[in-house]
Amino acid sequence: MPRDSAPTRSAILAAALQTLRGDGLDGFSIATVAQGAAVPKGLVLYHFRSRQQLLASCGKAIAEERSRRLAGAQAGGGAAGGSGGGPGAAVADACWEELRRQDADGTTRAWLALCGAGLIDRSVKQEDFEEAARNMLLDGCAAAMATGASLQEVREAFDTGWLALLDLASRP
């Protein structure tokens, strides 16, 4: 009976994502991923064929995870109390905290590296204007935090942008 290779493939992808979160593309190699997954390098190549294919799989996983986490923050923020400024403020606070978590856990670093390598598509072809504007705000703030901008300045820019989005959304 053939062995189920899904757990091995998942362990390799998890090690690849952890490597990207910690070391970015500079520290990313098949050998490093294999070591992190506790498998031989040949097994990494068996499952993903090449470094580029492994990075493409990482790009898909990071983009989906990041999107899911930010969507969860937007959905959950509406029910939370927030900073006293109503539902819009609660959503903004939840999104801000999620951006900070992603910056702290290395997701932003990995995401930016993969975007820069062209492995994550950030085109706005299928988004409406509000969604595209919100994503640009989130992406810009994430990039600013990752490059070491003052957290207070990034938060001020985030709040200003969020208020502009709320104003746009309230217009007929």
Side-chain angles (χ1 to χ4, degrees):
M1 184 168 186
R3 202 171 142 202
D4 181 10
S5 63
T8 301
R9 185 177 172 84
S10 294
I12 293 168
L13 185 58
L17 292 169
Q18 187 60 37
T19 300
L20 281 170
R21 284 185 175 108
D23 302 328
L25 282 176
D26 292 339
F28 189 89
S29 69
I30 295 294
T32 305
V33 171
Q35 183 178 12
V39 299
K41 288 190 324 187
L43 200 52
V44 175
L45 292 171
Y46 171 80
H47 285 283
F48 291 95
R49 306 282 182 242
S50 68
R51 179 181 189 269
Q52 192 66 17
Q53 194 173 53
L54 178 55
L55 285 169
S57 294
C58 287
K60 182 178 182 205
I62 287 281
E64 288 172 358
E65 175 189 1
R66 185 174 184 273
S67 178
R68 179 183 47 74
R69 288 169 60 182
L70 286 167
Q74 290 174 52
S83 58
V91 172
D93 288 345
C95 286
W96 174 254
E97 289 308 314
E98 182 54 37
L99 284 176
R100 295 213 34 212
R101 275 190 293 279
Q102 289 183 20
D103 186 52
D105 73 13
T107 298
T108 298
R109 177 186 181 137
W111 175 77
L112 287 170
L114 293 168
C115 284
L119 294 165
I120 294 178
D121 180 14
R122 291 302 298 149
S123 62
V124 294
K125 295 175 212 155
Q126 298 183 339
E127 297 176 342
D128 66 17
F129 177 77
E130 274 184 54
E131 185 178 356
R134 184 176 51 252
N135 284 333
M136 286 189 295
L137 174 64
L138 293 168
D139 294 353
C141 289
M145 284 191 291
T147 58
S150 157
L151 202 55
Q152 180 179 349
E153 289 175 358
V154 177
R155 179 62 198 244
E156 289 171 6
F158 175 83
D159 287 343
T160 300
W162 199 270
L163 288 173
L165 288 172
L166 288 174
D167 184 45
L168 281 174
S170 68
R171 293 182 184 189

